């Protein structure tokens, strides 16, 4: 269980940081409810903070100088196939 006071402190800290810089958070195995998908996760509430992006699906982040492949936790065979196919094209 998560103490509500700790949750509020963390939420406030993320809001403050996001007011200065953009934050990208990738869902991990300890954030998801079901092992095989990211539909239910503890980070969804952070999506409502301006400047915060929660990555729930494999995503390519393109910047001025580099591209980054952001891969959230998933035990889904479909997600693994999508990832493998993205490298072959």
């Amino acid at each position: 269980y998560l103490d509500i006071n700790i949750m509020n402190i963390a939420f406030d800290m993320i809001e403050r940081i996001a007011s200065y810089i953009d934050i990208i958070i990738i869902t991990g195995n300890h954030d998801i409810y079901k092992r095989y998908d990211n539909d239910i996760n503890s980070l969804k509430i952070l999506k409502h903070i301006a400047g915060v992006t929660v990555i729930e699906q494999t995503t390519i982040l393109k910047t001025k100088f580099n591209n980054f492949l952001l891969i959230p936790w998933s035990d889904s065979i479909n997600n693994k196939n999508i990832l493998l196919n993205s490298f072959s094209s």
Side-chain angles (χ1 to χ4, degrees), residues 3 10 14 18 21 23 28-29 32 38 45 49 52 55 57 70-71 78 81 83:
D3 184 290
I14 292 170
I21 61 169
I23 299 174
N29 61 319
I32 61 174
N38 294 337
I45 192 147
I49 300 174
V52 174
I55 304 296
Q57 303 295 324
L70 307 177
I71 308 169
N78 187 43
N81 288 336
L83 179 60

Side-chain angles (χ1 to χ4, degrees), residues 9-46:
I9 290 169
F11 194 86
D12 290 342
M13 288 174 59
I14 292 170
E15 277 186 317
R16 275 193 233 151
I17 294 168
S19 71
Y20 294 102
I21 61 169
D22 290 334
I23 299 174
I24 298 172
I25 303 172
I26 303 171
T27 55
N29 61 319
H30 292 279
D31 302 311
I32 61 174
Y33 181 71
K34 296 183 257 179
R35 180 178 170 185
Y36 53 86
D37 71 41
N38 294 337
D39 291 342
I40 302 172
N41 68 70
S42 61
L43 302 176
K44 277 192 183 283
I45 192 147
L46 300 177

Side-chain angles (χ1 to χ4, degrees), residues 51-63:
V52 174
T53 302
V54 177
I55 304 296
E56 298 172 293
Q57 303 295 324
T58 299
T59 304
I60 297 174
L61 173 65
K62 297 181 179 187
T63 68

Side-chain angles (χ1 to χ4, degrees), residues 3-4 6 9 18 40 49-50 67-68 74-75 79 81-82 89:
D3 184 290
I4 293 172
I6 299 299
I9 290 169
I40 302 172
I49 300 174
N67 294 335
F68 299 91
S74 176
D75 201 26
N79 283 342
N81 288 336
I82 291 169
S89 53

